[in-house]
mmCIF file of all heavy atoms in Angstrom:
data_model
loop_
_atom_site.group_PDB
_atom_site.id
_atom_site.type_symbol
_atom_site.label_atom_id
_atom_site.label_comp_id
_atom_site.label_asym_id
_atom_site.label_seq_id
_atom_site.Cartn_x
_atom_site.Cartn_y
_atom_site.Cartn_z
ATOM 1 N N ARG A 206 44.165 6.880 -107.823
ATOM 2 C CA ARG A 206 43.434 5.733 -107.393
ATOM 3 C C ARG A 206 43.821 4.563 -108.313
ATOM 4 O O ARG A 206 43.710 4.699 -109.553
ATOM 5 C CB ARG A 206 41.908 6.034 -107.434
ATOM 6 C CG ARG A 206 41.101 4.787 -106.979
ATOM 7 C CD ARG A 206 39.666 5.133 -107.062
ATOM 8 N NE ARG A 206 38.855 4.064 -106.603
ATOM 9 C CZ ARG A 206 37.887 4.061 -105.675
ATOM 10 N NH1 ARG A 206 37.682 5.191 -105.089
ATOM 11 N NH2 ARG A 206 37.151 2.986 -105.345
ATOM 12 N N ARG A 207 44.132 3.448 -107.707
ATOM 13 C CA ARG A 207 44.454 2.331 -108.491
ATOM 14 C C ARG A 207 43.224 1.533 -108.891
ATOM 15 O O ARG A 207 42.327 1.268 -107.978
ATOM 16 C CB ARG A 207 45.396 1.335 -107.702
ATOM 17 C CG ARG A 207 45.891 0.168 -108.451
ATOM 18 C CD ARG A 207 46.784 -0.671 -107.639
ATOM 19 N NE ARG A 207 46.142 -1.054 -106.462
ATOM 20 C CZ ARG A 207 46.791 -1.658 -105.479
ATOM 21 N NH1 ARG A 207 48.067 -1.843 -105.486
ATOM 22 N NH2 ARG A 207 46.137 -2.104 -104.365
ATOM 23 N N GLU A 208 43.096 1.191 -110.137
ATOM 24 C CA GLU A 208 41.886 0.469 -110.562
ATOM 25 C C GLU A 208 42.095 -0.984 -110.251
ATOM 26 O O GLU A 208 43.238 -1.508 -110.293
ATOM 27 C CB GLU A 208 41.729 0.562 -112.124
ATOM 28 C CG GLU A 208 41.411 2.022 -112.490
ATOM 29 C CD GLU A 208 40.131 2.592 -111.909
ATOM 30 O OE1 GLU A 208 39.181 1.723 -111.750
ATOM 31 O OE2 GLU A 208 40.088 3.841 -111.695
ATOM 32 N N GLY A 209 40.995 -1.691 -109.983
ATOM 33 C CA GLY A 209 40.998 -3.157 -109.762
ATOM 34 C C GLY A 209 41.326 -3.501 -108.307
ATOM 35 O O GLY A 209 41.525 -2.641 -107.466
ATOM 36 N N PRO A 210 41.160 -4.773 -107.995
ATOM 37 C CA PRO A 210 41.374 -5.241 -106.603
ATOM 38 C C PRO A 210 42.766 -5.245 -106.186
ATOM 39 O O PRO A 210 43.741 -5.025 -106.932
ATOM 40 C CB PRO A 210 40.812 -6.666 -106.636
ATOM 41 C CG PRO A 210 41.064 -7.127 -108.044
ATOM 42 C CD PRO A 210 40.923 -5.898 -108.917
ATOM 43 N N LEU A 211 42.984 -5.406 -104.862
ATOM 44 C CA LEU A 211 44.346 -5.563 -104.303
ATOM 45 C C LEU A 211 44.952 -6.864 -104.841
ATOM 46 O O LEU A 211 44.295 -7.777 -105.175
ATOM 47 C CB LEU A 211 44.265 -5.577 -102.713
ATOM 48 C CG LEU A 211 43.767 -4.314 -102.038
ATOM 49 C CD1 LEU A 211 43.513 -4.653 -100.591
ATOM 50 C CD2 LEU A 211 44.780 -3.160 -102.204
ATOM 51 N N GLU A 212 46.282 -6.816 -104.891
ATOM 52 C CA GLU A 212 47.014 -8.036 -105.229
ATOM 53 C C GLU A 212 46.794 -9.121 -104.085
ATOM 54 O O GLU A 212 46.641 -8.710 -102.965
ATOM 55 C CB GLU A 212 48.492 -7.750 -105.445
ATOM 56 C CG GLU A 212 48.786 -6.816 -106.576
ATOM 57 C CD GLU A 212 48.451 -7.360 -107.932
ATOM 58 O OE1 GLU A 212 48.562 -8.624 -108.052
ATOM 59 O OE2 GLU A 212 48.063 -6.651 -108.848
ATOM 60 N N PRO A 213 46.826 -10.388 -104.486
ATOM 61 C CA PRO A 213 46.719 -11.474 -103.467
ATOM 62 C C PRO A 213 47.791 -11.298 -102.362
ATOM 63 O O PRO A 213 48.926 -11.118 -102.676
ATOM 64 C CB PRO A 213 46.887 -12.749 -104.259
ATOM 65 C CG PRO A 213 46.483 -12.366 -105.674
ATOM 66 C CD PRO A 213 46.921 -10.959 -105.846
ATOM 67 N N GLY A 214 47.304 -11.371 -101.093
ATOM 68 C CA GLY A 214 48.251 -11.203 -100.019
ATOM 69 C C GLY A 214 48.587 -9.740 -99.611
ATOM 70 O O GLY A 214 49.381 -9.517 -98.698
ATOM 71 N N GLU A 215 48.005 -8.732 -100.397
ATOM 72 C CA GLU A 215 48.336 -7.353 -100.126
ATOM 73 C C GLU A 215 47.450 -6.868 -98.975
ATOM 74 O O GLU A 215 46.192 -7.064 -99.064
ATOM 75 C CB GLU A 215 48.187 -6.578 -101.368
ATOM 76 C CG GLU A 215 48.556 -5.099 -101.195
ATOM 77 C CD GLU A 215 48.393 -4.258 -102.444
ATOM 78 O OE1 GLU A 215 48.052 -4.833 -103.493
ATOM 79 O OE2 GLU A 215 48.650 -3.069 -102.455
ATOM 80 N N PRO A 216 47.960 -6.170 -98.001
ATOM 81 C CA PRO A 216 47.124 -5.668 -96.914
ATOM 82 C C PRO A 216 46.122 -4.622 -97.422
ATOM 83 O O PRO A 216 46.544 -3.835 -98.349
ATOM 84 C CB PRO A 216 48.070 -5.030 -96.015
ATOM 85 C CG PRO A 216 49.473 -5.699 -96.258
ATOM 86 C CD PRO A 216 49.389 -5.943 -97.714
ATOM 87 N N ILE A 217 44.983 -4.549 -96.884
ATOM 88 C CA ILE A 217 44.029 -3.426 -97.231
ATOM 89 C C ILE A 217 44.397 -2.206 -96.491
ATOM 90 O O ILE A 217 44.027 -1.120 -96.914
ATOM 91 C CB ILE A 217 42.537 -3.973 -97.011
ATOM 92 C CG1 ILE A 217 41.580 -3.004 -97.657
ATOM 93 C CG2 ILE A 217 42.285 -4.058 -95.471
ATOM 94 C CD1 ILE A 217 40.144 -3.596 -97.729
ATOM 95 N N ILE A 218 45.000 -2.389 -95.324
ATOM 96 C CA ILE A 218 45.528 -1.291 -94.506
ATOM 97 C C ILE A 218 46.947 -1.602 -94.254
ATOM 98 O O ILE A 218 47.272 -2.709 -93.666
ATOM 99 C CB ILE A 218 44.743 -1.018 -93.223
ATOM 100 C CG1 ILE A 218 43.300 -0.689 -93.517
ATOM 101 C CG2 ILE A 218 45.440 0.083 -92.376
ATOM 102 C CD1 ILE A 218 42.420 -0.657 -92.252
ATOM 103 N N GLN A 219 47.889 -0.668 -94.430
ATOM 104 C CA GLN A 219 49.238 -0.895 -94.081
ATOM 105 C C GLN A 219 49.857 0.285 -93.337
ATOM 106 O O GLN A 219 49.707 1.461 -93.851
ATOM 107 C CB GLN A 219 50.088 -1.098 -95.393
ATOM 108 C CG GLN A 219 51.489 -1.534 -95.104
ATOM 109 C CD GLN A 219 52.279 -1.901 -96.416
ATOM 110 O OE1 GLN A 219 52.470 -0.957 -97.249
ATOM 111 N NE2 GLN A 219 52.467 -3.104 -96.624
ATOM 112 N N VAL A 220 50.329 0.088 -92.159
ATOM 113 C CA VAL A 220 50.900 1.138 -91.344
ATOM 114 C C VAL A 220 52.418 0.888 -91.183
ATOM 115 O O VAL A 220 52.743 -0.238 -90.784
ATOM 116 C CB VAL A 220 50.232 1.236 -89.907
ATOM 117 C CG1 VAL A 220 50.786 2.304 -89.117
ATOM 118 C CG2 VAL A 220 48.761 1.392 -90.025
ATOM 119 N N ARG A 221 53.187 1.930 -91.448
ATOM 120 C CA ARG A 221 54.626 1.679 -91.399
ATOM 121 C C ARG A 221 55.287 2.889 -90.705
ATOM 122 O O ARG A 221 55.161 4.038 -91.090
ATOM 123 C CB ARG A 221 55.260 1.589 -92.791
ATOM 124 C CG ARG A 221 54.885 0.347 -93.503
ATOM 125 C CD ARG A 221 55.582 -0.841 -92.887
ATOM 126 N NE ARG A 221 55.237 -2.179 -93.562
ATOM 127 C CZ ARG A 221 54.203 -2.938 -93.196
ATOM 128 N NH1 ARG A 221 53.409 -2.573 -92.218
ATOM 129 N NH2 ARG A 221 54.034 -4.054 -93.883
ATOM 130 N N GLY A 222 56.024 2.542 -89.605
ATOM 131 C CA GLY A 222 56.792 3.553 -88.901
ATOM 132 C C GLY A 222 56.003 4.686 -88.308
ATOM 133 O O GLY A 222 56.406 5.785 -88.160
ATOM 134 N N LEU A 223 54.748 4.305 -87.848
ATOM 135 C CA LEU A 223 53.869 5.400 -87.375
ATOM 136 C C LEU A 223 54.370 6.064 -86.080
ATOM 137 O O LEU A 223 54.745 5.258 -85.163
ATOM 138 C CB LEU A 223 52.447 4.819 -87.169
ATOM 139 C CG LEU A 223 51.377 5.790 -86.706
ATOM 140 C CD1 LEU A 223 50.909 6.655 -87.913
ATOM 141 C CD2 LEU A 223 50.178 5.082 -86.105
ATOM 142 N N GLN A 224 54.328 7.341 -86.010
ATOM 143 C CA GLN A 224 54.720 8.039 -84.842
ATOM 144 C C GLN A 224 53.567 9.006 -84.516
ATOM 145 O O GLN A 224 53.019 9.711 -85.306
ATOM 146 C CB GLN A 224 55.989 8.834 -84.951
ATOM 147 C CG GLN A 224 57.256 7.899 -85.283
ATOM 148 C CD GLN A 224 58.515 8.764 -85.469
ATOM 149 O OE1 GLN A 224 58.444 9.810 -86.037
ATOM 150 N NE2 GLN A 224 59.557 8.178 -85.080
ATOM 151 N N ASN A 225 53.190 8.970 -83.173
ATOM 152 C CA ASN A 225 52.250 9.944 -82.637
ATOM 153 C C ASN A 225 52.706 10.493 -81.368
ATOM 154 O O ASN A 225 53.026 9.723 -80.482
ATOM 155 C CB ASN A 225 50.820 9.252 -82.458
ATOM 156 C CG ASN A 225 50.014 9.225 -83.731
ATOM 157 O OD1 ASN A 225 49.782 10.290 -84.335
ATOM 158 N ND2 ASN A 225 49.499 8.075 -84.114
ATOM 159 N N ARG A 226 52.773 11.790 -81.287
ATOM 160 C CA ARG A 226 53.208 12.405 -80.020
ATOM 161 C C ARG A 226 52.364 13.684 -79.692
ATOM 162 O O ARG A 226 51.982 14.281 -80.674
ATOM 163 C CB ARG A 226 54.672 12.804 -80.020
ATOM 164 C CG ARG A 226 55.160 13.716 -81.079
ATOM 165 C CD ARG A 226 56.621 14.032 -80.932
ATOM 166 N NE ARG A 226 57.490 12.918 -80.964
ATOM 167 C CZ ARG A 226 58.050 12.418 -82.066
ATOM 168 N NH1 ARG A 226 57.804 13.008 -83.202
ATOM 169 N NH2 ARG A 226 58.796 11.397 -81.979
#
Side-chain angles (χ1 to χ4, degrees):
R206 180 178 181 131
R207 184 178 59 190
E208 298 296 331
L211 297 169
E212 295 294 329
E215 183 179 359
I217 195 168
I218 299 170
Q219 188 174 69
V220 181
R221 290 292 179 269
L223 185 73
Q224 296 180 327
N225 276 306
R226 59 174 59 91

